[in-house]
Amino acid sequence: SKEMAIQEKEKLYIDLKKILARQPGPEVAEQLQIYQQSLKDKTKTDEAMSSELNMCEAQNAEYKYEIETLVRELHDAKNKYYMQNEKNETLRKERDTWLEV
């Protein structure tokens, strides 16, 4: 009947209104855009910092290698110095022995 059809249409109208009420409004889309832009900015910053960290780590590795090289060179120089001192001492003793004779 007509009354039943009207009630059905009203129920459908109310259901559609509820569905529309649950749909996000323009402020949600605007907020989403703000979040997306913020995420892009933070991603760029993160990539820049990551790149800088990689450069610092590479520089650190170079410094460590340079330090190891200098430590080896210092060790070698000390050894040469002590060996030369021993030779000089031996030569001095030989000379003194010859001079005593």
Side-chain angles (χ1 to χ4, degrees), residues 12-72:
L12 184 60
Y13 173 75
I14 291 170
D15 289 345
L16 285 173
K17 242 176 118 171
K18 285 180 185 175
I19 290 172
L20 281 174
R22 288 192 304 236
Q23 297 298 313
E27 60 279 342
V28 173
E30 192 178 316
Q31 193 63 45
L32 181 61
Q33 251 183 333
I34 292 169
Y35 288 150
Q36 285 174 331
Q37 188 58 47
S38 176
L39 179 62
K40 281 182 187 176
D41 294 345
K42 288 181 194 265
T43 301
K44 276 185 183 177
T45 302
D46 185 46
E47 287 170 353
M49 289 174 75
S50 179
S51 176
E52 191 176 343
L53 176 62
N54 287 340
M55 287 183 354
C56 289
E57 286 175 340
Q59 185 73 53
N60 190 29
E62 284 179 38
Y63 288 151
K64 280 184 178 180
Y65 178 77
E66 194 174 329
I67 288 170
E68 288 171 5
T69 302
L70 291 171
V71 165
R72 270 195 307 277

Short mmCIF file of all heavy atoms in Angstrom, two decimals, residues 12-72:
data_model
loop_
_atom_site.label_atom_id
_atom_site.label_comp_id
_atom_site.label_asym_id
_atom_site.label_seq_id
_atom_site.Cartn_x
_atom_site.Cartn_y
_atom_site.Cartn_z
N LEU A 12 14.61 4.07 4.14
CA LEU A 12 15.74 4.17 3.21
C LEU A 12 16.42 5.54 3.37
O LEU A 12 17.65 5.63 3.42
CB LEU A 12 15.25 3.97 1.78
CG LEU A 12 16.31 3.95 0.69
CD1 LEU A 12 17.31 2.82 0.93
CD2 LEU A 12 15.66 3.80 -0.67
N TYR A 13 15.63 6.59 3.48
CA TYR A 13 16.14 7.95 3.68
C TYR A 13 16.96 8.04 4.96
O TYR A 13 18.07 8.58 4.97
CB TYR A 13 14.97 8.94 3.70
CG TYR A 13 15.37 10.35 4.06
CD1 TYR A 13 16.02 11.16 3.14
CD2 TYR A 13 15.12 10.86 5.33
CE1 TYR A 13 16.41 12.45 3.48
CE2 TYR A 13 15.49 12.15 5.68
CZ TYR A 13 16.14 12.94 4.75
OH TYR A 13 16.51 14.21 5.09
N ILE A 14 16.43 7.48 6.06
CA ILE A 14 17.13 7.49 7.35
C ILE A 14 18.43 6.69 7.26
O ILE A 14 19.48 7.13 7.74
CB ILE A 14 16.20 6.96 8.47
CG1 ILE A 14 15.07 7.97 8.73
CG2 ILE A 14 16.99 6.70 9.75
CD1 ILE A 14 13.97 7.46 9.63
N ASP A 15 18.39 5.53 6.61
CA ASP A 15 19.60 4.71 6.44
C ASP A 15 20.66 5.46 5.64
O ASP A 15 21.85 5.46 5.99
CB ASP A 15 19.24 3.38 5.76
CG ASP A 15 18.47 2.44 6.66
OD1 ASP A 15 18.45 2.68 7.89
OD2 ASP A 15 17.88 1.46 6.14
N LEU A 16 20.23 6.12 4.57
CA LEU A 16 21.17 6.87 3.75
C LEU A 16 21.77 8.05 4.53
O LEU A 16 22.95 8.36 4.40
CB LEU A 16 20.50 7.38 2.48
CG LEU A 16 20.24 6.32 1.40
CD1 LEU A 16 19.41 6.89 0.26
CD2 LEU A 16 21.54 5.75 0.87
N LYS A 17 20.93 8.69 5.35
CA LYS A 17 21.40 9.80 6.17
C LYS A 17 22.48 9.32 7.15
O LYS A 17 23.50 9.99 7.36
CB LYS A 17 20.23 10.40 6.96
CG LYS A 17 19.96 11.84 6.62
CD LYS A 17 18.75 12.34 7.35
CE LYS A 17 19.17 13.46 8.27
NZ LYS A 17 18.06 14.17 8.87
N LYS A 18 22.25 8.11 7.75
CA LYS A 18 23.23 7.54 8.68
C LYS A 18 24.55 7.25 7.95
O LYS A 18 25.63 7.51 8.47
CB LYS A 18 22.68 6.25 9.30
CG LYS A 18 21.63 6.49 10.36
CD LYS A 18 21.15 5.17 10.91
CE LYS A 18 20.00 5.36 11.90
NZ LYS A 18 19.46 4.08 12.35
N ILE A 19 24.42 6.70 6.75
CA ILE A 19 25.63 6.39 5.96
C ILE A 19 26.39 7.67 5.65
O ILE A 19 27.62 7.74 5.79
CB ILE A 19 25.26 5.62 4.68
CG1 ILE A 19 24.78 4.21 5.03
CG2 ILE A 19 26.44 5.56 3.72
CD1 ILE A 19 24.19 3.43 3.87
N LEU A 20 25.67 8.69 5.21
CA LEU A 20 26.32 9.97 4.89
C LEU A 20 26.95 10.60 6.14
O LEU A 20 28.00 11.23 6.04
CB LEU A 20 25.30 10.93 4.28
CG LEU A 20 24.98 10.71 2.80
CD1 LEU A 20 23.84 11.63 2.35
CD2 LEU A 20 26.20 10.93 1.95
N ALA A 21 26.32 10.45 7.27
CA ALA A 21 26.86 11.01 8.51
C ALA A 21 28.20 10.38 8.87
O ALA A 21 29.05 11.01 9.49
CB ALA A 21 25.86 10.83 9.65
N ARG A 22 28.37 9.14 8.47
CA ARG A 22 29.63 8.44 8.78
C ARG A 22 30.73 8.77 7.78
O ARG A 22 31.90 8.48 8.01
CB ARG A 22 29.40 6.93 8.79
CG ARG A 22 28.62 6.45 9.99
CD ARG A 22 28.68 4.95 10.10
NE ARG A 22 28.21 4.32 8.88
CZ ARG A 22 27.22 3.44 8.80
NH1 ARG A 22 26.59 3.07 9.88
NH2 ARG A 22 26.87 2.92 7.65
N GLN A 23 30.38 9.39 6.66
CA GLN A 23 31.38 9.74 5.63
C GLN A 23 32.22 10.91 6.13
O GLN A 23 31.72 11.82 6.76
CB GLN A 23 30.68 10.13 4.32
CG GLN A 23 29.89 9.02 3.67
CD GLN A 23 30.76 7.85 3.28
OE1 GLN A 23 31.81 8.03 2.69
NE2 GLN A 23 30.34 6.66 3.64
N PRO A 24 33.52 10.86 5.83
CA PRO A 24 34.38 11.96 6.26
C PRO A 24 34.04 13.25 5.52
O PRO A 24 33.73 13.24 4.33
CB PRO A 24 35.79 11.50 5.92
CG PRO A 24 35.61 10.41 4.92
CD PRO A 24 34.25 9.83 5.14
N GLY A 25 34.13 14.35 6.23
CA GLY A 25 33.81 15.65 5.64
C GLY A 25 35.04 16.29 5.04
O GLY A 25 36.13 15.71 5.03
N PRO A 26 34.92 17.50 4.52
CA PRO A 26 36.05 18.19 3.88
C PRO A 26 37.19 18.49 4.85
O PRO A 26 38.35 18.50 4.45
CB PRO A 26 35.43 19.49 3.35
CG PRO A 26 34.14 19.66 4.08
CD PRO A 26 33.70 18.29 4.50
N GLU A 27 36.87 18.68 6.14
CA GLU A 27 37.94 18.96 7.11
C GLU A 27 38.85 17.75 7.28
O GLU A 27 40.05 17.88 7.52
CB GLU A 27 37.38 19.41 8.46
CG GLU A 27 36.45 18.43 9.17
CD GLU A 27 35.01 18.45 8.67
OE1 GLU A 27 34.60 19.41 8.01
OE2 GLU A 27 34.30 17.46 8.94
N VAL A 28 38.29 16.53 7.12
CA VAL A 28 39.13 15.32 7.21
C VAL A 28 40.09 15.25 6.03
O VAL A 28 41.27 14.95 6.20
CB VAL A 28 38.24 14.05 7.29
CG1 VAL A 28 39.10 12.80 7.21
CG2 VAL A 28 37.41 14.05 8.55
N ALA A 29 39.59 15.58 4.84
CA ALA A 29 40.45 15.58 3.65
C ALA A 29 41.56 16.62 3.80
O ALA A 29 42.71 16.37 3.44
CB ALA A 29 39.62 15.85 2.40
N GLU A 30 41.20 17.78 4.34
CA GLU A 30 42.18 18.84 4.56
C GLU A 30 43.25 18.40 5.56
O GLU A 30 44.45 18.60 5.34
CB GLU A 30 41.45 20.08 5.09
CG GLU A 30 42.28 21.34 5.09
CD GLU A 30 41.48 22.53 5.60
OE1 GLU A 30 40.31 22.69 5.19
OE2 GLU A 30 42.04 23.28 6.42
N GLN A 31 42.81 17.77 6.64
CA GLN A 31 43.75 17.28 7.66
C GLN A 31 44.66 16.21 7.06
O GLN A 31 45.86 16.18 7.34
CB GLN A 31 42.96 16.70 8.85
CG GLN A 31 43.81 16.46 10.07
CD GLN A 31 44.41 17.73 10.64
OE1 GLN A 31 43.75 18.74 10.77
NE2 GLN A 31 45.68 17.69 10.97
N LEU A 32 44.08 15.35 6.22
CA LEU A 32 44.86 14.31 5.57
C LEU A 32 45.94 14.92 4.68
O LEU A 32 47.09 14.46 4.68
CB LEU A 32 43.95 13.39 4.74
CG LEU A 32 44.62 12.24 4.01
CD1 LEU A 32 45.30 11.30 5.00
CD2 LEU A 32 43.62 11.49 3.16
N GLN A 33 45.61 15.98 3.97
CA GLN A 33 46.59 16.67 3.12
C GLN A 33 47.73 17.23 3.97
O GLN A 33 48.90 17.13 3.61
CB GLN A 33 45.91 17.81 2.37
CG GLN A 33 45.78 17.54 0.89
CD GLN A 33 45.17 18.75 0.18
OE1 GLN A 33 44.44 19.53 0.77
NE2 GLN A 33 45.48 18.87 -1.08
N ILE A 34 47.37 17.81 5.12
CA ILE A 34 48.38 18.36 6.02
C ILE A 34 49.31 17.25 6.51
O ILE A 34 50.53 17.40 6.52
CB ILE A 34 47.72 19.10 7.20
CG1 ILE A 34 47.02 20.36 6.70
CG2 ILE A 34 48.73 19.43 8.28
CD1 ILE A 34 46.11 21.02 7.73
N TYR A 35 48.73 16.11 6.89
CA TYR A 35 49.54 14.97 7.35
C TYR A 35 50.45 14.46 6.24
O TYR A 35 51.61 14.13 6.47
CB TYR A 35 48.65 13.84 7.85
CG TYR A 35 47.97 14.10 9.18
CD1 TYR A 35 46.73 13.52 9.47
CD2 TYR A 35 48.55 14.90 10.14
CE1 TYR A 35 46.10 13.75 10.68
CE2 TYR A 35 47.92 15.15 11.35
CZ TYR A 35 46.70 14.57 11.62
OH TYR A 35 46.08 14.80 12.81
N GLN A 36 49.92 14.39 5.02
CA GLN A 36 50.73 13.89 3.90
C GLN A 36 51.90 14.82 3.63
O GLN A 36 53.02 14.36 3.40
CB GLN A 36 49.87 13.74 2.64
CG GLN A 36 48.94 12.54 2.68
CD GLN A 36 47.99 12.48 1.49
OE1 GLN A 36 47.62 13.51 0.93
NE2 GLN A 36 47.58 11.28 1.14
N GLN A 37 51.66 16.13 3.66
CA GLN A 37 52.74 17.09 3.44
C GLN A 37 53.78 17.00 4.55
O GLN A 37 54.99 17.01 4.30
CB GLN A 37 52.19 18.52 3.35
CG GLN A 37 53.23 19.54 2.94
CD GLN A 37 53.87 19.23 1.60
OE1 GLN A 37 53.19 18.93 0.64
NE2 GLN A 37 55.19 19.29 1.55
N SER A 38 53.29 16.85 5.77
CA SER A 38 54.20 16.71 6.91
C SER A 38 55.05 15.46 6.77
O SER A 38 56.26 15.48 7.04
CB SER A 38 53.38 16.66 8.20
OG SER A 38 54.22 16.44 9.30
N LEU A 39 54.43 14.38 6.32
CA LEU A 39 55.16 13.13 6.12
C LEU A 39 56.22 13.29 5.04
O LEU A 39 57.36 12.82 5.19
CB LEU A 39 54.19 12.00 5.76
CG LEU A 39 54.81 10.63 5.51
CD1 LEU A 39 55.50 10.12 6.77
CD2 LEU A 39 53.75 9.64 5.06
N LYS A 40 55.88 13.97 3.94
CA LYS A 40 56.86 14.22 2.87
C LYS A 40 58.04 15.01 3.40
O LYS A 40 59.20 14.69 3.11
CB LYS A 40 56.21 14.99 1.71
CG LYS A 40 55.38 14.16 0.78
CD LYS A 40 54.83 15.02 -0.35
CE LYS A 40 53.85 14.24 -1.20
NZ LYS A 40 53.24 15.08 -2.24
N ASP A 41 57.73 16.07 4.17
CA ASP A 41 58.80 16.91 4.73
C ASP A 41 59.70 16.11 5.65
O ASP A 41 60.92 16.19 5.58
CB ASP A 41 58.21 18.10 5.49
CG ASP A 41 57.47 19.07 4.58
OD1 ASP A 41 57.64 18.99 3.35
OD2 ASP A 41 56.68 19.89 5.11
N LYS A 42 59.09 15.31 6.52
CA LYS A 42 59.88 14.51 7.47
C LYS A 42 60.69 13.44 6.73
O LYS A 42 61.81 13.13 7.13
CB LYS A 42 58.96 13.88 8.51
CG LYS A 42 58.43 14.91 9.50
CD LYS A 42 57.55 14.30 10.54
CE LYS A 42 56.78 15.34 11.30
NZ LYS A 42 57.31 15.81 12.50
N THR A 43 60.14 12.89 5.67
CA THR A 43 60.86 11.89 4.87
C THR A 43 62.10 12.53 4.23
O THR A 43 63.18 11.94 4.25
CB THR A 43 59.95 11.29 3.79
OG1 THR A 43 58.83 10.68 4.43
CG2 THR A 43 60.68 10.25 2.97
N LYS A 44 61.92 13.75 3.68
CA LYS A 44 63.07 14.45 3.09
C LYS A 44 64.14 14.71 4.14
O LYS A 44 65.33 14.50 3.91
CB LYS A 44 62.63 15.78 2.48
CG LYS A 44 62.08 15.68 1.10
CD LYS A 44 61.78 17.08 0.54
CE LYS A 44 61.16 16.99 -0.83
NZ LYS A 44 60.79 18.32 -1.35
N THR A 45 63.71 15.18 5.31
CA THR A 45 64.65 15.46 6.40
C THR A 45 65.37 14.18 6.81
O THR A 45 66.59 14.17 7.00
CB THR A 45 63.90 16.05 7.61
OG1 THR A 45 63.22 17.22 7.21
CG2 THR A 45 64.85 16.37 8.74
N ASP A 46 64.62 13.10 6.91
CA ASP A 46 65.18 11.80 7.30
C ASP A 46 66.21 11.34 6.27
O ASP A 46 67.29 10.86 6.63
CB ASP A 46 64.06 10.77 7.44
CG ASP A 46 64.56 9.43 7.95
OD1 ASP A 46 65.35 9.43 8.92
OD2 ASP A 46 64.18 8.40 7.37
N GLU A 47 65.89 11.49 4.99
CA GLU A 47 66.83 11.08 3.94
C GLU A 47 68.10 11.92 3.99
O GLU A 47 69.21 11.39 3.82
CB GLU A 47 66.16 11.19 2.57
CG GLU A 47 65.12 10.12 2.32
CD GLU A 47 64.29 10.36 1.07
OE1 GLU A 47 64.42 11.44 0.44
OE2 GLU A 47 63.49 9.46 0.72
N ALA A 48 67.94 13.22 4.22
CA ALA A 48 69.11 14.10 4.31
C ALA A 48 69.99 13.71 5.50
O ALA A 48 71.21 13.63 5.39
CB ALA A 48 68.67 15.56 4.43
N MET A 49 69.34 13.44 6.64
CA MET A 49 70.10 13.05 7.84
C MET A 49 70.78 11.70 7.64
O MET A 49 71.91 11.49 8.09
CB MET A 49 69.17 13.01 9.05
CG MET A 49 68.72 14.38 9.50
SD MET A 49 67.49 14.33 10.82
CE MET A 49 68.51 13.89 12.22
N SER A 50 70.10 10.81 6.96
CA SER A 50 70.67 9.49 6.68
C SER A 50 71.90 9.62 5.79
O SER A 50 72.92 8.97 6.01
CB SER A 50 69.61 8.60 6.02
OG SER A 50 70.14 7.34 5.72
N SER A 51 71.79 10.48 4.78
CA SER A 51 72.92 10.72 3.89
C SER A 51 74.09 11.33 4.66
O SER A 51 75.25 10.92 4.48
CB SER A 51 72.47 11.66 2.77
OG SER A 51 73.53 11.99 1.94
N GLU A 52 73.79 12.28 5.53
CA GLU A 52 74.83 12.91 6.34
C GLU A 52 75.49 11.88 7.27
O GLU A 52 76.71 11.88 7.45
CB GLU A 52 74.22 14.05 7.15
CG GLU A 52 75.24 14.93 7.81
CD GLU A 52 74.62 16.13 8.52
OE1 GLU A 52 73.45 16.46 8.26
OE2 GLU A 52 75.33 16.71 9.36
N LEU A 53 74.67 11.00 7.84
CA LEU A 53 75.21 9.96 8.71
C LEU A 53 76.15 9.05 7.94
O LEU A 53 77.24 8.70 8.42
CB LEU A 53 74.07 9.14 9.33
CG LEU A 53 74.48 7.96 10.20
CD1 LEU A 53 75.27 8.44 11.42
CD2 LEU A 53 73.26 7.17 10.63
N ASN A 54 75.77 8.67 6.71
CA ASN A 54 76.63 7.82 5.88
C ASN A 54 77.96 8.50 5.60
O ASN A 54 79.02 7.87 5.65
CB ASN A 54 75.93 7.47 4.56
CG ASN A 54 74.82 6.46 4.75
OD1 ASN A 54 74.78 5.74 5.74
ND2 ASN A 54 73.90 6.41 3.82
N MET A 55 77.91 9.81 5.31
CA MET A 55 79.15 10.55 5.06
C MET A 55 80.02 10.57 6.31
O MET A 55 81.24 10.38 6.23
CB MET A 55 78.84 11.97 4.59
CG MET A 55 78.33 12.04 3.18
SD MET A 55 78.01 13.69 2.47
CE MET A 55 78.24 14.83 3.77
N CYS A 56 79.41 10.79 7.47
CA CYS A 56 80.17 10.82 8.71
C CYS A 56 80.79 9.46 9.02
O CYS A 56 81.93 9.38 9.47
CB CYS A 56 79.27 11.26 9.87
SG CYS A 56 78.82 13.01 9.82
N GLU A 57 80.03 8.40 8.75
CA GLU A 57 80.56 7.05 9.00
C GLU A 57 81.73 6.75 8.06
O GLU A 57 82.72 6.15 8.47
CB GLU A 57 79.46 6.01 8.84
CG GLU A 57 78.47 6.01 9.99
CD GLU A 57 77.30 5.07 9.80
OE1 GLU A 57 77.01 4.68 8.64
OE2 GLU A 57 76.65 4.74 10.81
N ALA A 58 81.63 7.20 6.80
CA ALA A 58 82.73 7.00 5.85
C ALA A 58 83.95 7.78 6.31
O ALA A 58 85.08 7.26 6.28
CB ALA A 58 82.30 7.43 4.45
N GLN A 59 83.74 9.02 6.74
CA GLN A 59 84.84 9.86 7.23
C GLN A 59 85.48 9.21 8.46
O GLN A 59 86.70 9.18 8.60
CB GLN A 59 84.32 11.25 7.59
CG GLN A 59 85.39 12.23 8.00
CD GLN A 59 86.23 12.69 6.83
OE1 GLN A 59 85.70 13.14 5.84
NE2 GLN A 59 87.52 12.56 6.94
N ASN A 60 84.64 8.68 9.34
CA ASN A 60 85.13 8.01 10.55
C ASN A 60 86.01 6.81 10.18
O ASN A 60 87.07 6.60 10.78
CB ASN A 60 83.93 7.57 11.39
CG ASN A 60 84.33 7.08 12.75
OD1 ASN A 60 85.34 7.50 13.30
ND2 ASN A 60 83.55 6.17 13.30
N ALA A 61 85.57 6.03 9.19
CA ALA A 61 86.35 4.87 8.75
C ALA A 61 87.70 5.32 8.20
O ALA A 61 88.74 4.69 8.46
CB ALA A 61 85.57 4.08 7.70
N GLU A 62 87.71 6.43 7.44
CA GLU A 62 88.97 6.96 6.91
C GLU A 62 89.90 7.37 8.05
O GLU A 62 91.10 7.10 8.01
CB GLU A 62 88.70 8.17 6.00
CG GLU A 62 88.16 7.81 4.65
CD GLU A 62 87.89 9.05 3.79
OE1 GLU A 62 88.70 10.00 3.84
OE2 GLU A 62 86.88 9.04 3.08
N TYR A 63 89.35 8.07 9.05
CA TYR A 63 90.17 8.49 10.19
C TYR A 63 90.74 7.29 10.93
O TYR A 63 91.91 7.29 11.33
CB TYR A 63 89.36 9.35 11.15
CG TYR A 63 89.04 10.74 10.65
CD1 TYR A 63 87.89 11.39 11.06
CD2 TYR A 63 89.88 11.41 9.77
CE1 TYR A 63 87.58 12.67 10.60
CE2 TYR A 63 89.60 12.69 9.31
CZ TYR A 63 88.45 13.31 9.73
OH TYR A 63 88.16 14.57 9.28
N LYS A 64 89.91 6.25 11.12
CA LYS A 64 90.40 5.06 11.82
C LYS A 64 91.56 4.42 11.05
O LYS A 64 92.56 4.03 11.63
CB LYS A 64 89.27 4.04 11.98
CG LYS A 64 88.34 4.35 13.12
CD LYS A 64 87.30 3.25 13.28
CE LYS A 64 86.39 3.55 14.46
NZ LYS A 64 85.37 2.52 14.64
N TYR A 65 91.41 4.33 9.72
CA TYR A 65 92.48 3.75 8.89
C TYR A 65 93.74 4.59 9.00
O TYR A 65 94.84 4.07 9.15
CB TYR A 65 92.01 3.66 7.43
CG TYR A 65 93.06 3.13 6.51
CD1 TYR A 65 93.36 1.77 6.48
CD2 TYR A 65 93.79 3.99 5.69
CE1 TYR A 65 94.35 1.28 5.64
CE2 TYR A 65 94.78 3.51 4.86
CZ TYR A 65 95.06 2.16 4.83
OH TYR A 65 96.03 1.67 4.01
N GLU A 66 93.56 5.92 8.95
CA GLU A 66 94.71 6.82 9.05
C GLU A 66 95.41 6.67 10.40
O GLU A 66 96.64 6.64 10.48
CB GLU A 66 94.24 8.26 8.85
CG GLU A 66 95.35 9.24 8.58
CD GLU A 66 94.83 10.64 8.25
OE1 GLU A 66 93.74 10.75 7.67
OE2 GLU A 66 95.55 11.60 8.58
N ILE A 67 94.63 6.55 11.46
CA ILE A 67 95.20 6.38 12.81
C ILE A 67 95.98 5.06 12.88
O ILE A 67 97.10 5.02 13.40
CB ILE A 67 94.10 6.43 13.88
CG1 ILE A 67 93.58 7.85 14.04
CG2 ILE A 67 94.60 5.89 15.21
CD1 ILE A 67 92.33 7.98 14.89
N GLU A 68 95.39 3.98 12.33
CA GLU A 68 96.09 2.68 12.34
C GLU A 68 97.41 2.78 11.59
O GLU A 68 98.44 2.25 12.04
CB GLU A 68 95.21 1.61 11.71
CG GLU A 68 94.02 1.20 12.57
CD GLU A 68 93.03 0.30 11.83
OE1 GLU A 68 93.31 -0.08 10.67
OE2 GLU A 68 91.98 0.01 12.42
N THR A 69 97.40 3.47 10.45
CA THR A 69 98.62 3.64 9.66
C THR A 69 99.66 4.42 10.46
O THR A 69 100.84 4.03 10.51
CB THR A 69 98.31 4.38 8.34
OG1 THR A 69 97.33 3.64 7.61
CG2 THR A 69 99.55 4.54 7.49
N LEU A 70 99.24 5.52 11.10
CA LEU A 70 100.18 6.33 11.88
C LEU A 70 100.72 5.56 13.08
O LEU A 70 101.91 5.69 13.41
CB LEU A 70 99.49 7.62 12.35
CG LEU A 70 99.17 8.63 11.24
CD1 LEU A 70 98.30 9.75 11.78
CD2 LEU A 70 100.45 9.18 10.62
N VAL A 71 99.88 4.74 13.72
CA VAL A 71 100.34 3.93 14.85
C VAL A 71 101.40 2.94 14.38
O VAL A 71 102.44 2.77 15.04
CB VAL A 71 99.15 3.22 15.53
CG1 VAL A 71 99.62 2.11 16.45
CG2 VAL A 71 98.29 4.21 16.28
N ARG A 72 101.16 2.31 13.21
CA ARG A 72 102.16 1.38 12.67
C ARG A 72 103.47 2.09 12.35
O ARG A 72 104.56 1.61 12.67
CB ARG A 72 101.63 0.69 11.40
CG ARG A 72 100.88 -0.58 11.65
CD ARG A 72 100.69 -1.40 10.37
NE ARG A 72 100.09 -0.65 9.28
CZ ARG A 72 98.78 -0.45 9.13
NH1 ARG A 72 97.94 -0.94 10.00
NH2 ARG A 72 98.33 0.24 8.10
#
